[in-house]
Amino acid sequence: MSSTASVPLFQKFKLPNGVEYEQPLGLFINGEFVTGKEGKAFEVVNPSTGNVVGKVHEATAADVDIAVDAAETAFYDGPWSKMSSADRGHLLLKLADLFEENLTILASIEAFDNGKAIQLAKGDIGACIGCLRYYGGWADKIHGKVIETNSGSFNFTKQEPIGVCGQIIPWNFPLLMWAWKIGPAIACGNTVVLKTAEQTPLGGLFAAKLCKEAGFPPGVINILSGFGRTAGAAIASHMKIHKVAFTGSTLVGRQIMKAAAESNLKKVTLELGGKSPNIVFEDADIDRAVEWINFGIYYNAGQCCCAGSRVYVQESIYDKVIEAFRKRAQANVVGNPFDEATFQGAQVSEAQYNRIMSYVELGKKEGAKVEVGGERHGNEGYFIKPTVFSNVTEDMRIMQEEIFGPVCAIAKFKDLDDAISKGNSTTYGLASAVHTGSLSTAMEVANRLRAGTVWVNSYNTLHWALPFGGYGESGIGRELGKEALRNYTQVKTVSINLS
């Protein structure tokens, strides 16, 4: 952390793949990039090398106050307050178009800032575009209902926006989570104060520049770079914010829920951690199942809340799956995110790298067998080889705790009831999968697993039209789909006496 005296509001960046662009570094408040009230800045690190690549301005509680005031003014008094729902939708569609026009730049920023493979980053931006267009289409289709009670009254409900919404997003999918949060909030007519993760601020700031270009009125969308303990805490407890959405760890989710309750009882949605089961029955196509297991855990370097990190294999095919999965994991290309052949890039930070490696050592001490990986990849940056543990038991911490890295634990199960019992033996409930050739088996497992999403013969096939969220300690509420609109509206009942 340092003074902003030497930090400009914009800086020319040239990325490793040759992409050159102007990177905003300031806080985006009331339609402009500005310096922080307290004059602080923090460093941005390239996880592929471990090198500092620049600094951005840091938001503190004082900046949150300024952003909230701008958002409140925009909501109640500015052009946004008088804008039609169709025009709101048009702005989201325009923003999606700008994401599409700048796809290469946005994906390159993600690969540079987060360390993810460029091919996956391009997929993220494609999903951002789809999400923004989806909610752009919803903006003028949010309707109330007429409710019959008796002949002497006319009753109807309205779905009204909540007001100023605080949003706190994680570092694993910086721009995708930006779009997931911005899309439904704006479609419903709210205004937003969004804090990016301190590890990955660059993409959100560039997207803020596109918001201005799209024509959003000042104060509607405000983007802050800052730390959870300061800016994030200020958002969660702010008396003028009436809705807070958070994606991140269960530990921090609890803190946000407490702050929301102790302030103004603001509405809360939480998309939190997971320890998702990936179940393979003996009638599954083994080669196909292994491909999805591989994608389920090593996608985004394992830094995925719904990662299929607990793999359960029916005992009759256990050895075959272990052998096939060992070969498949070793075939993953790990390394330079800007190489189009790379599948697994770097972990996001040194702290995350160290945390994952501590779990690898813990798994060894607990008696699990390392089938492959368990080591650093390369000699710079934060790369970890795809890791597979076998002979894992339910009481091991690597089977129960979210590692959030490219580490997979595999265990046997006997029959369907045993698979369900083990699959549900977690406090989380975000996602799950079943691989089988039997439709009846797939449906029974899907009905009995306690998880917000169940994939059948696939994994991580998310879509902006499908609700996403968890049971238990995996959170409250749903992202995406029509369900997400519930998070950003409130119901008003109007009853007219006709007598």
Side-chain angles (χ1 to χ4, degrees), residues 344-398:
Q344 183 184 314
Q347 311 309 134
V348 75
S349 66
E350 183 178 17
Q352 184 65 12
Y353 170 89
N354 290 336
R355 182 178 186 274
I356 296 165
M357 291 306 295
S358 72
Y359 270 104
V360 171
E361 293 307 310
L362 178 63
K364 295 175 182 177
K365 290 179 182 178
E366 288 181 319
K369 179 184 178 182
V370 178
E371 293 285 346
V372 67
E375 300 173 331
R376 181 188 186 96
H377 174 87
N379 53 19
E380 71 170 359
Y382 313 125
F383 297 90
I384 297 174
K385 292 180 180 180
T387 301
V388 178
F389 277 106
S390 63
N391 297 331
V392 183
T393 57
E394 291 301 300
D395 59 337
M396 291 182 181
R397 287 178 61 188
I398 60 169

Side-chain angles (χ1 to χ4, degrees), residues 75-91:
F75 182 77
Y76 289 109
D77 301 319
W80 187 249
S81 65
K82 303 174 183 64
M83 189 176 290
S84 71
S85 56
D87 286 342
R88 291 199 307 268
H90 177 75
L91 287 177

Side-chain angles (χ1 to χ4, degrees), residues 311-331:
V311 176
Y312 294 105
V313 181
Q314 198 155 18
E315 47 191 20
S316 61
I317 60 169
Y318 180 81
D319 291 339
K320 290 182 180 179
V321 170
I322 288 287
E323 179 60 25
F325 187 30
R326 182 192 298 115
K327 292 178 181 177
R328 182 63 188 85
Q330 289 175 317

Side-chain angles (χ1 to χ4, degrees), residues 98-126:
L98 289 170
F99 265 64
E100 190 165 44
E101 291 173 20
N102 290 274
L103 189 151
T104 299
I105 293 175
L106 290 166
S108 299
I109 294 172
E110 292 290 82
F112 183 65
D113 201 19
N114 170 274
K116 68 175 63 195
I118 188 70
Q119 61 162 311
L120 299 185
K122 290 176 181 177
D124 286 1
I125 306 308

Side-chain angles (χ1 to χ4, degrees), residues 237-290:
S237 61
H238 206 286
M239 294 298 292
K240 292 183 179 180
I241 290 176
H242 297 286
K243 160 75 172 72
V244 62
F246 170 74
T247 297
S249 72
T250 299
L251 174 65
V252 176
R254 286 193 174 97
Q255 295 169 356
I256 288 173
M257 194 170 186
K258 183 178 180 181
E262 291 179 344
S263 53
N264 59 349
L265 280 174
K266 57 178 60 68
K267 191 173 184 178
V268 176
T269 52
L270 305 171
E271 198 264 277
L272 307 176
K275 193 70 177 176
S276 300
N278 203 350
I279 301 169
V280 185
F281 282 88
E282 60 187 1
D283 64 349
D285 180 324
I286 292 178
D287 290 338
R288 184 182 179 193
V290 165

